[in-house]
Amino acid sequence: MKIDRRKNYYIVFDTETTNGLGDPIVYDLGFAVIDKKGNVYETCSLIIREVFYGMKDLMQSAYYANKIPRYKEQIANGERKVVSLFEARKTFSEVCEKYNVKVAIAHNARFDYRSTSKTQRYLTKSKYRFFLPYNIELWDTMRMANDTICKQKTYKKWCHKNGYLTKNNQVRKTAEILYRYISGQNDFVESHTGLEDVLIEKEIF
């Protein structure tokens, strides 16, 4: 699609990580540039070389380690690109600059922000501390949904009917459950791969 300079563009991103939730290290970064209607202008799926190939022990303990063979197949056929973290950061920044993006969006954005920053600091020995461009605002679709969709009586009723409740009997707010609701696909299963998850998170946005 052609860039219309009168429009506001957003970048939706998602990370897949290893090394636990406390100190997450990114091996898969997906992102898409969209407008406020959800039209997609550009997508990117990047595998971080230093982690995916350089940290094999950690990758075997990754939450979705069973997906590694599929990743390798997709890398081989060109669906995903293997890059250094430096190249990933450069690509992300260049895309933001190309579309004059001022807002980055993620579901549970604190986690994705933390994972990119921790990976940046770990791999550069803190020479570079932040992954996202310094002037970009961060929006969280989980918090947005909490203030909108999750307050709807129809959503609460639907969650109770389907058993989509937390241990505290609160409605669940995961991207997978929210997407099931807004799409009407109650059998939808989240891919838990960067770009594929981005494309459902932009629908939640």
Side-chain angles (χ1 to χ4, degrees):
M1 289 188 184
K2 188 178 179 182
I3 301 173
D4 183 346
R5 293 298 172 191
R6 296 168 298 179
K7 282 186 176 182
N8 289 326
Y9 297 96
Y10 308 89
I11 194 161
V12 184
F13 74 106
D14 182 75
T15 60
E16 298 302 323
T17 65
T18 186
N19 202 42
L21 298 178
D23 289 296
I25 302 293
V26 178
Y27 63 86
D28 175 9
L29 170 69
F31 57 89
V33 176
I34 65 168
D35 61 22
K36 68 180 181 180
K37 293 182 178 178
N39 296 312
V40 177
Y41 291 79
E42 192 165 330
T43 62
C44 198
S45 178
L46 303 176
I47 304 300
I48 309 303
R49 182 183 294 113
E50 298 98 318
V51 183
F52 191 81
Y53 290 111
M55 301 181 183
K56 290 184 178 178
D57 288 347
L58 272 185
M59 285 303 301
Q60 289 304 321
S61 65
Y63 191 54
Y64 296 104
N66 62 315
K67 296 186 185 294
I68 291 175
R70 178 67 176 144
Y71 271 112
K72 288 182 176 178
E73 184 182 316
Q74 292 170 330
I75 290 166
N77 66 27
E79 288 178 56
R80 303 187 194 278
K81 187 177 179 183
V82 179
V83 297
S84 67
L85 183 71
F86 175 83
E87 290 172 301
R89 185 170 180 256
K90 185 169 181 281
T91 300
F92 193 94
S93 295
E94 285 173 349
V95 170
C96 287
E97 189 175 337
K98 176 180 174 182
Y99 291 89
N100 195 29
V101 169
K102 301 298 183 188
V103 176
I105 300 166
H107 199 77
N108 192 10
R110 284 176 63 187
F111 176 81
D112 293 285
Y113 178 79
R114 186 168 81 247
S115 67
T116 54
S117 296
K118 281 186 174 288
T119 307
Q120 181 74 22
R121 291 169 194 181
Y122 181 75
L123 292 182
T124 68
K125 296 181 170 57
S126 287
K127 183 178 180 182
Y128 302 105
R129 299 184 59 78
F130 301 102
F131 183 90
L132 298 185
Y134 77 94
N135 61 341
I136 207 160
E137 198 175 338
L138 190 62
W139 291 1
D140 187 343
T141 51
M142 187 163 72
R143 293 183 67 178
M144 289 174 167
N146 190 49
D147 293 336
T148 52
I149 299 171
C150 296
K151 290 184 176 178
Q152 295 173 1
K153 288 181 181 178
T154 49
Y155 183 71
K156 291 178 181 179
K157 186 178 178 181
W158 180 82
C159 283
H160 278 270
K161 178 185 174 184
N162 288 284
Y164 298 149
L165 303 169
T166 67
K167 286 184 286 186
N168 299 325
N169 216 36
Q170 299 296 308
V171 296
R172 290 178 62 196
K173 307 164 191 173
T174 64
E176 181 176 87
I177 300 302
L178 285 163
Y179 186 76
R180 285 181 184 181
Y181 176 72
I182 62 177
S183 69
Q185 301 175 46
N186 207 13
D187 57 350
F188 172 79
V189 178
E190 193 174 5
S191 173
H192 293 293
T193 49
L195 180 58
E196 288 73 15
D197 290 359
V198 160
L199 295 177
I200 70 164
E201 289 167 18
K202 67 100 175 171
E203 291 298 322
I204 295 168
F205 169 68

